[in-house]
Amino acid sequence: KLCGYLNKLGIKGPIKTWKSRWFFYDENKCHLLYYRTAQDINPLGSIDISSASFDCKVENGEGVFEIRTPSRVFTLKAISKQAMMYWLQQLQMRRWEFCNSQSRFPVGSSQLVNEPLASRTNVIDNEDFLPPVKTPTEVVGLKAASLPVPQTCTALQNISLKHPWTEIQNTVYNICGSKQLWGNNGNIFSFSEFQEHPENPDEEQEAKVEAGSGVKEGILEDGRMEPRLNWVRKARWMNSGFPGLPEELAKERNPMDKVSVLQQQILTLTEEVKSQKELVKLLHKALEAAQQEKRVSSMYLTAAEDKDRLELVRHKVRQIADLTSRLEALEQEKKELEQMLTLRDSHIQELKEHVQLLMEKNHAKQEVIMALTEQMARELSDPLQEANTITAETLYKQQEEIEHLKDDIDAYKTQNQFLNSEIHQVTRLWTSVAENEKALLMKCACLQARNCQMESKYLMVLRKLQEAMPGLPSSHAELVRNLIQEALQWDVKEGAEEGFNVNPVSEYDEYGFMTVPDYEVEDWKLLAKIQALEIKSNNLRSQEVVEKPLRDRWNSVGELSPSAELKSLIRSGIPVEHRQRVWRWIVSRHCSHLPDHYQQLLRQSKSTEHPACRQIELDLPRTLTNNKHFSSPTSQLIPKLRRVLLAFSWHNPAIGYCQGLNRLAAVALLVLEDEESAFWCLVHIVENLMPADYYSDTLITSQVDQRVFKDFLSEKLPRVMAHFEQYRIDVSLITFNWFLVVFVDSLVSDILLRVWDAFLYEGTKVIFRYALAIFKYNEEEILRIHDSVEIYQYLRFFTRMIMDGRKLMNIAFNDLNPFPMKLLRNRRSMHREELEAELCELEQIKAAYVKERAEQG
């Protein structure tokens, strides 16, 4: 047992006095209780060791050390330096054991969190900064309780005036209670009542309630107190480690101690068996829940009436609410851990500053010692001069001062060693808390992903019910409409007002795109919400497995240079924090930025109105309407977009302006932010990546690419192409705009920007890959539709059915291989010749028709 007498510094206004107190460490709460004497039953107070740090300062005197808690600093003094170091080492060890025991997760936690912690909390660091101090048995431990209380200057000085009631209780127990106990049991420590003083009023109230219930249980029918209660209290007092029995009686009780140890082991094993039984019960409950889920699903599939299905939907809503409450609890636990981590960081910083100050002081004293040593060496080198100038008394004083300085150096070394051990242990505790927080964040992400998945399934059920609404009764149809309206009105702001974001889907992404666009068609709104939830769920699930390693690889990339590894990284998607830098590098490789060229174009556009100026003004309000940076005419990026488009129209007079360039320039502005960089990015796309005449008046190359795409669709996806030909579907009506604006307004921003990453680096071949991948992704759904009108309706929004961007990327760059660029060039050349011949023939027919009309007229 860790107990003994220490002097505690008490402060009464301007007066500071040392008071002798009996200190006892409580292992269950990690508190250091202190009493006036070892025989007192009620503590005067307690110190929370679990969140405390320790310090010893040489300038405070021998044996003086401090215990710093978040609310107060306790200054204590041991009888010797050895006793002080023993107390500090023991308190450090007890704090480490308690924090480790508290950091483990309970049995019900997920395996994702428990596995990394199982190997961390049991780690014992063998690195010792200080050799272990031997136990000073004469001043610490059970034997110290039998020693007389250290005397003070006056008898009243040692009495605590802050706790008069506690002092009165202890005095009454020591005078009256001890006599009664000696008469009954022969043991002055067999107190019939024992009460701990909690640290706060809430704990005190709980203690009173527990004490009240215990008294009620111990009262017999005739009103007398049950004797068993007294024996329990006596055993608790004996097990607390306070001395009071003679040594002969303690030796006689050794067999009884062995019996108590065995009984304690039996209790421990019994508790372990209980915990195993509870685990089995939990597993049974999980099995029953899975079976119940299976039964509910089968009930939903076999339900004959829609009323039963609606009841099952309500059951799913209740499950979502349950998951939401669990998520809130985890978020609260995360906040508490963050606060604890902040306190640990601030305390570590204070300790570092204190160590630095001590090192500076030590260095200054060493310089003083060296100066004195050199001075003595000079003086001793000339004995005759020394005899004449320095007396023996002065030399003695100098030697005495040197001895004192050496003692100070030894004391500072000891202090530095202890502070190093304190910093090391606090750092280990901080690391453990940080790892626990990381594990909780991973668990929170998994729960968020599961919540998103449940919500998307709920919306899918509502959509199926919406399709079946014509066959439902009017009351059921009205209920379905209300549920759909309620689902579409779920907003992030509502969760923010409650203090916790229940819906993990934010209103806008990093670039300002709406995650759930505000479509006019209600069915499209529902699809957009489902897609946003599924994408968020996939991102959360792949955060640790895919996104984090990919981000680490990007962080390790230094100077950019073309390579196969960089190509693979860009295909996988560029993280938001690296995208701007990589895009600037790609554009600068292919476009030589002429100095002041962009400013000259702007001056020219101000002085002379371009013929395309009117069309540009008409297209500005229609650019990226689902992005908050372009949704309003007063948005900050609208003037920048206007200047970029006008500058390009003067830069390339052959094209001037073509509808679609506004969307390309807008995406470049969102990522690059600087309008001149966005201008050169637009130049790179139009003049380097896209073939010539792609944006000309005739759009001849764009038409050629549509024919090439149909060839690739027939080769890579023959079933889909045969299905389109059977129902006379012209795919170019859907895909023409994909190629012209590189999927802008067709794919969600998360997938769109990954397509643009690869497109800027590799060229137009990426557009073909992703266009084919989109049809491959939805191949089975397309083949299920057997009506031309329904196929066209499905192709209008089927890009909104893409939930997994990683799956789409794998299809584009793996499943569609090989895809040689040489084949693409040959197909383009062949179809261009065919198209030019057709256009020439049309011109001839047109000329002949005009001539014939002229002759007839």
Side-chain angles (χ1 to χ4, degrees):
K1 296 292 183 178
L2 180 60
C3 55
Y5 279 106
L6 293 172
N7 288 329
K8 176 178 173 294
L9 183 62
I11 301 176
K12 303 175 184 177
I15 302 175
K16 299 181 180 180
T17 58
W18 291 101
K19 295 184 178 182
S20 177
R21 294 287 182 259
W22 172 261
F23 284 83
F24 168 72
Y25 175 74
D26 185 358
E27 296 179 353
N28 296 326
K29 296 183 179 179
C30 196
H31 282 195
L32 191 63
L33 308 177
Y34 55 90
Y35 306 75
R36 188 164 62 88
T37 65
Q39 288 73 31
D40 288 349
I41 189 170
N42 292 329
L44 300 176
S46 65
I47 305 174
D48 186 2
I49 302 301
S50 62
S51 59
S53 61
F54 314 115
D55 190 11
C56 60
K57 298 180 179 179
V58 176
E59 54 269 21
N60 289 345
E62 183 179 359
V64 179
F65 62 97
E66 294 179 352
I67 301 178
R68 298 176 180 268
T69 65
S71 59
R72 185 179 170 188
V73 177
F74 295 87
T75 304
L76 307 177
K77 184 178 182 181
I79 194 172
S80 64
K81 180 179 177 181
Q82 181 188 6
M84 176 192 73
M85 295 308 299
Y86 175 80
W87 275 97
L88 288 172
Q89 284 189 347
Q90 289 296 315
L91 290 175
Q92 273 189 332
M93 182 180 67
R94 306 299 170 92
R95 178 187 62 187
W96 173 252
E97 293 175 352
F98 182 80
C99 291
N100 273 344
S101 64
Q102 293 295 319
S103 64
R104 293 192 175 95
F105 286 90
V107 176
S109 301
S110 66
Q111 187 177 1
L112 178 65
V113 180
N114 283 338
E115 285 183 356
L117 292 178
S119 59
R120 291 198 301 265
T121 55
N122 293 329
V123 175
I124 299 176
D125 193 355
N126 294 324
E127 184 177 0
D128 292 329
F129 291 87
L130 280 175
V133 180
K134 294 183 179 180
T135 305
T137 54
E138 68 280 359
V139 293
V140 177
L142 301 180
K143 292 183 178 180
S146 60
L147 300 176
V149 180
Q151 297 296 323
T152 55
C153 298
T154 61
L156 294 177
Q157 182 177 346
N158 209 34
I159 297 176
S160 175
L161 300 179
K162 292 184 180 180
H163 310 88
W165 181 243
T166 305
E167 289 284 357
I168 293 172
Q169 285 182 324
N170 291 333
T171 304
V172 170
Y173 274 113
N174 289 335
I175 296 175
C176 300
S178 61
K179 293 180 180 179
Q180 181 181 359
L181 294 171
W182 271 109
N184 295 336
N185 305 319
N187 183 1
I188 63 171
F189 291 103
S190 299
F191 295 102
S192 62
E193 293 181 4
F194 179 80
Q195 177 184 4
E196 275 191 67
H197 285 265
E199 290 185 0
N200 51 55
D202 296 334
E203 294 181 2
E204 185 175 358
Q205 187 68 23
E206 294 176 3
K208 290 180 180 179
V209 173
E210 293 176 1
S213 63
V215 169
K216 291 178 182 179
E217 293 174 0
I219 296 177
L220 299 177
E221 294 180 357
D222 57 353
R224 291 181 293 106
M225 186 68 70
E226 184 179 352
R228 183 174 58 85
L229 183 61
N230 291 333
W231 283 108
V232 171
R233 289 174 176 168
K234 293 174 186 178
R236 185 185 304 172
W237 180 257
M238 291 302 297
N239 291 333
S240 65
F242 285 101
L245 292 174
E247 294 183 3
E248 293 80 9
L249 186 58
K251 291 179 181 179
E252 293 175 2
R253 292 179 58 89
N254 282 336
M256 296 299 295
D257 292 341
K258 293 181 181 178
V259 172
S260 64
V261 170
L262 292 175
Q263 290 176 348
Q264 185 66 28
Q265 291 179 356
I266 292 172
L267 291 175
T268 304
L269 293 174
T270 305
E271 291 295 328
E272 185 176 356
V273 170
K274 288 181 180 179
S275 65
Q276 294 297 328
K277 288 182 179 179
E278 291 175 357
L279 178 60
V280 172
K281 290 180 181 178
L282 288 175
L283 292 175
H284 278 300
K285 289 181 180 179
L287 182 59
E288 290 175 0
Q291 293 175 349
Q292 180 67 19
E293 185 72 16
K294 182 179 178 181
R295 286 194 294 271
V296 169
S297 299
S298 62
M299 288 170 62
Y300 181 84
L301 294 174
T302 58
E305 296 182 4
D306 293 328
K307 181 179 180 181
D308 298 333
R309 295 189 177 185
L310 288 176
E311 182 61 30
L312 292 176
V313 171
R314 292 193 187 98
H315 177 66
K316 289 297 180 180
V317 172
R318 290 193 292 270
Q319 284 186 347
I320 292 173
D322 184 32
L323 287 174
T324 301
S325 62
R326 291 171 59 190
L327 200 59
E328 290 176 353
L330 285 173
E331 188 68 20
Q332 184 63 29
E333 187 176 355
K334 172 191 168 186
K335 290 180 181 179
E336 293 176 358
L337 286 175
E338 288 176 348
Q339 293 176 359
M340 186 184 300
L341 188 61
T342 304
L343 291 175
R344 299 281 185 185
D345 290 340
S346 61
H347 184 62
I348 288 173
Q349 187 61 31
E350 291 177 1
L351 289 176
K352 287 182 179 179
E353 293 175 356
H354 187 60
V355 170
Q356 183 64 27
L357 181 61
L358 291 177
M359 292 176 66
E360 292 174 359
K361 288 183 179 180
N362 192 12
H363 182 67
K365 291 189 176 184
Q366 286 179 354
E367 290 179 352
V368 171
I369 292 172
M370 291 299 297
L372 291 174
T373 304
E374 292 175 0
Q375 182 179 355
M376 286 188 63
R378 288 195 302 270
E379 292 172 351
L380 292 174
S381 62
D382 190 357
L384 182 60
Q385 183 179 0
E386 178 186 359
N388 296 331
T389 57
I390 301 177
T391 62
E393 183 179 358
T394 305
L395 182 60
Y396 175 75
K397 289 181 179 180
Q398 290 180 349
Q399 291 176 346
E400 187 178 18
E401 184 178 356
I402 290 173
E403 291 297 327
H404 287 315
L405 290 175
K406 289 181 179 180
D407 293 340
D408 290 343
I409 290 174
D410 293 338
Y412 278 116
K413 285 182 179 179
T414 304
Q415 181 181 358
N416 287 340
Q417 289 175 346
F418 170 74
L419 290 177
N420 287 335
S421 66
E422 176 71 5
I423 292 171
H424 178 67
Q425 189 177 104
V426 171
T427 304
R428 289 168 59 195
L429 292 173
W430 172 83
T431 304
S432 176
V433 171
E435 290 176 350
N436 290 346
E437 182 185 9
K438 180 181 177 182
L440 283 175
L441 288 174
M442 292 171 60
K443 184 176 181 181
C444 185
C446 290
L447 289 176
Q448 280 186 333
R450 195 179 305 167
N451 190 25
C452 290
Q453 204 169 26
M454 292 292 293
E455 192 172 343
S456 66
K457 289 180 180 178
Y458 170 68
L459 294 178
M460 286 294 291
V461 171
L462 289 181
R463 185 168 179 270
K464 294 293 183 183
L465 291 174
Q466 184 185 32
E467 294 175 354
M469 277 178 60
L472 294 176
S474 59
S475 59
H476 293 173
E478 182 64 25
L479 179 59
V480 171
R481 277 193 292 271
N482 292 337
L483 288 175
I484 292 174
Q485 289 295 330
E486 182 182 353
L488 291 176
Q489 289 172 1
W490 286 344
D491 195 359
V492 182
K493 296 178 181 178
E494 298 177 1
E497 292 174 358
E498 297 173 1
F500 176 70
N501 187 4
V502 178
N503 187 356
V505 179
S506 58
E507 188 176 2
Y508 297 97
D509 64 3
E510 298 88 346
Y511 295 101
F513 288 97
M514 295 179 66
T515 53
V516 183
D518 190 14
Y519 294 117
E520 296 180 1
V521 183
E522 191 175 82
D523 192 41
W524 284 34
K525 288 183 182 179
L526 208 56
L527 280 174
K529 185 97 184 233
I530 292 171
Q531 186 186 35
L533 287 169
E534 287 292 336
I535 289 175
K536 186 69 176 181
S537 176
N538 289 330
N539 290 342
L540 287 170
R541 289 180 179 277
S542 62
Q543 186 67 32
E544 289 295 324
V545 180
V546 179
E547 298 298 335
K548 190 175 182 299
L550 180 63
R551 198 176 301 274
D552 293 339
R553 289 178 64 191
W554 272 107
N555 291 335
S556 63
V557 174
E559 185 178 353
L560 296 173
S561 59
S563 64
E565 181 182 2
L566 181 63
K567 181 179 179 180
S568 174
L569 280 175
I570 291 177
R571 284 183 173 184
S572 299
I574 306 173
V576 177
E577 60 269 23
H578 296 283
R579 180 168 281 130
Q580 186 180 109
R581 176 174 71 99
V582 177
W583 281 26
R584 289 179 188 273
W585 172 77
I586 293 173
V587 173
S588 63
R589 286 182 62 237
H590 299 89
C591 292
S592 55
H593 291 204
L594 301 175
D596 203 35
H597 178 65
Y598 180 70
Q599 300 300 327
Q600 291 178 4
L601 295 173
L602 291 182
R603 288 192 291 269
Q604 185 177 359
S605 64
K606 289 181 181 178
S607 60
T608 307
E609 183 176 350
H610 196 276
C613 183
R614 185 169 177 274
Q615 186 60 44
I616 290 174
E617 290 298 329
L618 290 175
D619 287 346
L620 286 177
R622 296 180 291 198
T623 305
L624 299 186
T625 55
N626 63 338
N627 190 289
K628 65 180 180 181
H629 299 298
F630 295 98
S631 58
S632 171
T634 59
S635 299
Q636 295 181 355
L637 292 186
I638 292 291
K640 292 184 178 181
L641 180 61
R642 179 187 294 110
R643 291 193 291 269
V644 170
L645 294 175
L646 287 173
F648 181 81
S649 63
W650 286 108
H651 170 78
N652 193 331
I655 296 176
Y657 174 74
C658 173
Q659 287 184 333
L661 296 180
N662 57 325
R663 301 178 192 177
L664 300 178
V667 172
L669 268 175
L670 287 174
V671 176
L672 298 174
E673 298 178 357
D674 177 52
E675 56 182 277
E676 185 173 357
S677 299
F679 164 77
W680 287 110
C681 182
L682 182 61
V683 171
H684 172 55
I685 293 173
V686 176
E687 298 181 0
N688 297 331
L689 297 180
M690 294 297 191
D693 299 328
Y694 215 85
Y695 298 99
S696 63
D697 294 337
T698 59
L699 300 175
I700 183 171
T701 313
S702 300
Q703 298 180 53
V704 169
D705 273 0
Q706 292 307 305
R707 298 190 178 193
V708 174
F709 177 70
K710 289 179 181 178
D711 288 351
F712 285 136
L713 192 62
S714 300
E715 296 174 5
K716 302 291 184 181
L717 301 171
R719 291 197 303 160
V720 174
M721 193 61 187
H723 192 68
F724 287 157
E725 290 175 353
Q726 179 182 356
Y727 293 98
R728 297 180 181 180
I729 304 296
D730 187 3
V731 184
S732 61
L733 297 177
I734 304 298
T735 59
F736 185 82
N737 195 51
W738 294 0
F739 283 74
L740 198 65
V741 297
V742 196
F743 299 102
V744 178
D745 287 338
S746 297
L747 294 173
V748 293
S749 59
D750 182 64
I751 303 174
L752 173 68
L753 292 172
R754 292 182 185 177
V755 175
W756 272 61
D757 294 337
F759 164 69
L760 290 177
Y761 187 73
E762 299 184 45
T764 54
K765 185 170 68 170
V766 173
I767 303 178
F768 285 92
R769 282 184 177 274
Y770 270 100
L772 292 170
I774 291 172
F775 284 100
K776 177 69 174 176
Y777 190 98
N778 298 280
E779 180 178 11
E780 298 301 326
E781 292 293 333
I782 294 172
L783 295 177
R784 289 193 188 100
I785 306 174
H786 299 285
D787 182 75
S788 59
V789 177
E790 291 185 6
I791 292 175
Y792 272 119
Q793 289 178 349
Y794 179 76
L795 294 180
R796 287 181 62 199
F797 66 84
F798 80 125
T799 56
R800 298 290 167 187
M801 304 296 290
I802 299 174
M803 313 296 183
D804 192 347
R806 291 288 170 191
K807 178 182 176 182
L808 185 69
M809 181 197 70
N810 288 329
I811 294 173
F813 293 110
N814 295 325
D815 297 353
L816 297 177
N817 287 333
F819 205 97
M821 191 66 186
K822 183 178 180 181
L823 178 62
L824 177 59
R825 294 195 192 98
N826 294 337
R827 294 285 175 86
R828 276 176 169 168
S829 177
M830 178 185 67
H831 284 290
R832 186 181 180 93
E833 291 177 1
E834 293 177 357
L835 185 59
E836 287 177 347
E838 292 175 6
L839 291 175
C840 184
E841 185 179 352
L842 287 173
E843 288 294 332
Q844 292 176 0
I845 295 173
K846 180 180 178 181
Y849 176 75
V850 171
K851 183 179 180 181
E852 183 180 352
R853 290 296 297 271
E855 290 176 354
Q856 291 177 358

